[in-house]
Coordinates of all heavy atoms in Angstrom, one line a residue:
R34 N 264.3 176.1 41.8 CA 264.1 177.2 42.8 C 263.1 178.1 42.2 O 263.6 179.3 42.0 CB 265.4 177.8 43.2 CG 266.5 176.8 43.8 CD 267.7 177.6 44.2 NE 268.3 178.2 43.1 CZ 269.4 177.8 42.6 NH1 270.0 176.6 42.8 NH2 269.9 178.4 41.6
E41 N 267.3 183.8 51.0 CA 267.8 182.7 50.0 C 268.4 183.4 48.7 O 269.5 183.1 48.3 CB 266.6 181.8 49.7 CG 266.3 180.9 50.6 CD 265.0 180.2 50.3 OE1 264.1 180.6 49.5 OE2 264.9 179.1 50.9
A43 N 269.7 186.4 48.6 CA 271.1 186.9 49.1 C 272.1 186.0 49.3 O 273.4 186.1 48.9 CB 270.8 187.7 50.5
L45 N 272.3 183.0 47.7 CA 272.7 182.3 46.4 C 273.6 183.3 45.5 O 274.4 182.8 44.8 CB 271.4 182.0 45.5 CG 270.6 180.8 46.1 CD1 269.2 180.8 45.5 CD2 271.3 179.5 45.8
T46 N 273.3 184.6 45.7 CA 274.0 185.5 44.9 C 275.2 186.1 45.4 O 276.1 186.8 44.8 CB 273.1 186.7 44.4 OG1 272.7 187.3 45.6 CG2 272.0 186.1 43.6
Y56 N 267.2 195.0 44.6 CA 267.0 194.4 43.3 C 265.7 193.7 43.2 O 265.0 193.9 42.1 CB 268.2 193.5 43.0 CG 269.5 194.1 43.0 CD1 270.6 193.8 43.9 CD2 269.7 195.1 41.9 CE1 271.8 194.5 43.8 CE2 270.9 195.7 41.9 CZ 271.9 195.4 42.7 OH 273.2 196.1 42.7
A66 N 258.8 190.4 38.6 CA 258.8 189.3 39.6 C 257.5 189.7 40.4 O 257.0 190.7 40.4 CB 260.1 189.6 40.5
D67 N 257.1 188.6 41.1 CA 255.9 188.7 42.0 C 256.4 188.4 43.5 O 257.4 187.8 43.6 CB 254.9 187.7 41.6 CG 254.3 187.9 40.2 OD1 254.1 189.0 39.9 OD2 254.1 186.9 39.5
R78 N 256.4 188.2 32.7 CA 257.0 189.3 31.9 C 258.6 189.1 31.6 O 259.1 189.6 30.7 CB 256.9 190.6 32.7 CG 257.3 191.9 31.9 CD 257.2 193.1 32.9 NE 257.6 194.4 32.1 CZ 256.9 195.1 31.5 NH1 255.7 194.8 31.3 NH2 257.5 196.1 30.8
I79 N 259.2 188.1 32.3 CA 260.5 187.8 32.2 C 260.8 187.2 30.9 O 262.0 187.2 30.4 CB 261.0 187.0 33.4 CG1 262.6 187.3 33.7 CG2 260.8 185.5 33.2 CD1 262.9 188.6 34.4
Y86 N 266.2 187.4 22.7 CA 267.4 186.6 22.1 C 266.7 185.9 21.0 O 267.3 185.7 19.9 CB 267.9 185.7 23.2 CG 268.8 184.6 22.5 CD1 270.0 184.9 22.1 CD2 268.4 183.3 22.3 CE1 270.9 184.1 21.4 CE2 269.1 182.3 21.7 CZ 270.5 182.8 21.3 OH 271.2 181.8 20.7
S91 N 269.7 184.1 14.7 CA 269.4 183.4 13.5 C 269.8 181.9 13.6 O 269.3 181.0 13.0 CB 270.2 184.0 12.4 OG 271.6 184.0 12.6
G140 N 266.4 177.2 26.2 CA 266.7 178.0 27.4 C 267.2 177.0 28.6 O 267.7 177.4 29.4
R142 N 269.0 174.5 30.9 CA 270.4 174.4 31.2 C 270.8 173.1 31.9 O 270.1 172.5 32.8 CB 271.0 175.5 32.1 CG 270.6 176.9 31.5 CD 271.1 178.0 32.5 NE 272.6 178.1 32.4 CZ 273.2 179.1 31.8 NH1 272.6 179.9 30.9 NH2 274.5 179.0 31.7
R152 N 279.7 167.0 26.1 CA 280.9 166.3 25.8 C 281.3 166.5 24.3 O 282.5 166.7 24.0 CB 280.8 164.8 26.2 CG 280.8 164.6 27.6 CD 280.8 163.1 28.0 NE 280.6 162.9 29.4 CZ 280.4 161.8 29.9 NH1 280.5 160.7 29.2 NH2 280.2 161.7 31.3
Q158 N 287.5 171.5 22.3 CA 287.8 173.0 22.9 C 289.5 172.9 22.8 O 290.0 171.9 22.9 CB 287.4 173.2 24.1 CG 285.8 173.3 24.3 CD 285.2 174.3 23.2 OE1 285.5 175.4 23.2 NE2 284.4 173.7 22.2
R171 N 282.9 171.2 39.0 CA 282.6 170.3 40.1 C 281.9 169.1 39.4 O 280.7 169.3 38.9 CB 281.5 171.0 41.1 CG 282.2 172.1 41.8 CD 281.3 172.8 42.8 NE 280.8 171.8 43.8 CZ 279.9 172.1 44.7 NH1 279.3 173.4 44.7 NH2 279.4 171.2 45.5
I180 N 280.2 160.0 35.4 CA 281.7 160.1 35.7 C 282.1 161.2 36.5 O 281.8 162.2 36.1 CB 282.5 160.1 34.4 CG1 282.4 158.9 33.5 CG2 283.9 160.5 34.4 CD1 282.9 159.0 32.1
L186 N 287.0 161.4 32.9 CA 286.4 162.3 32.0 C 287.1 162.8 30.9 O 286.8 163.0 29.8 CB 285.8 163.6 32.8 CG 285.1 164.7 32.1 CD1 283.8 164.1 31.4 CD2 284.6 165.8 33.0
S202 N 275.1 157.3 28.6 CA 274.1 156.4 29.0 C 273.9 156.5 30.5 O 274.7 156.1 31.4 CB 274.4 154.8 28.7 OG 274.6 154.7 27.2
F207 N 268.6 158.2 35.1 CA 268.3 156.8 34.9 C 267.2 156.7 33.7 O 266.3 157.3 33.6 CB 267.7 156.2 36.2 CG 268.7 155.8 37.2 CD1 268.6 156.3 38.4 CD2 269.7 155.0 36.9 CE1 269.5 155.9 39.4 CE2 270.6 154.6 37.9 CZ 270.6 155.0 39.1
V214 N 276.7 164.9 18.2 CA 277.9 165.2 17.3 C 278.2 166.6 17.3 O 277.2 167.3 17.5 CB 277.6 164.7 15.8 CG1 277.3 163.2 15.7 CG2 276.4 165.5 15.3
I229 N 270.5 163.3 19.8 CA 269.2 162.6 19.7 C 269.2 161.8 21.2 O 270.2 161.3 21.6 CB 269.1 161.6 18.7 CG1 269.0 162.2 17.4 CG2 267.8 160.6 19.0 CD1 269.1 161.3 16.2
A236 N 266.6 151.6 22.8 CA 267.8 151.7 22.0 C 268.9 151.4 22.7 O 269.4 152.1 23.6 CB 267.9 153.0 21.2
M241 N 271.8 153.0 18.7 CA 271.9 154.4 18.7 C 272.8 154.9 17.6 O 272.6 155.6 16.8 CB 272.4 155.0 20.0 CG 271.6 154.8 21.2 SD 270.2 155.9 21.3 CE 270.9 157.4 21.8
E242 N 274.1 154.2 17.6 CA 275.0 154.3 16.4 C 274.4 154.0 15.0 O 274.6 154.7 14.2 CB 276.3 153.7 16.6 CG 277.1 154.1 17.8 CD 278.6 153.4 17.7 OE1 279.2 153.4 16.6 OE2 279.0 152.9 18.9
E254 N 276.8 167.9 8.8 CA 277.7 168.2 7.6 C 277.0 169.3 6.8 O 277.6 170.2 6.3 CB 277.8 167.0 6.8 CG 278.8 167.2 5.7 CD 280.2 167.5 6.0 OE1 280.6 167.2 7.1 OE2 281.0 168.1 5.1

Side-chain angles (χ1 to χ4, degrees):
R34 300 187 300 261
E41 289 170 335
L45 288 166
T46 60
Y56 294 118
D67 295 321
R78 188 183 178 93
I79 206 76
Y86 167 78
S91 60
R142 306 175 74 92
R152 290 185 188 174
Q158 298 311 295
R171 294 181 59 185
I180 293 177
L186 179 58
S202 297
F207 279 123
V214 299
I229 294 174
M241 295 282 280
E242 285 190 50
E254 187 64 22

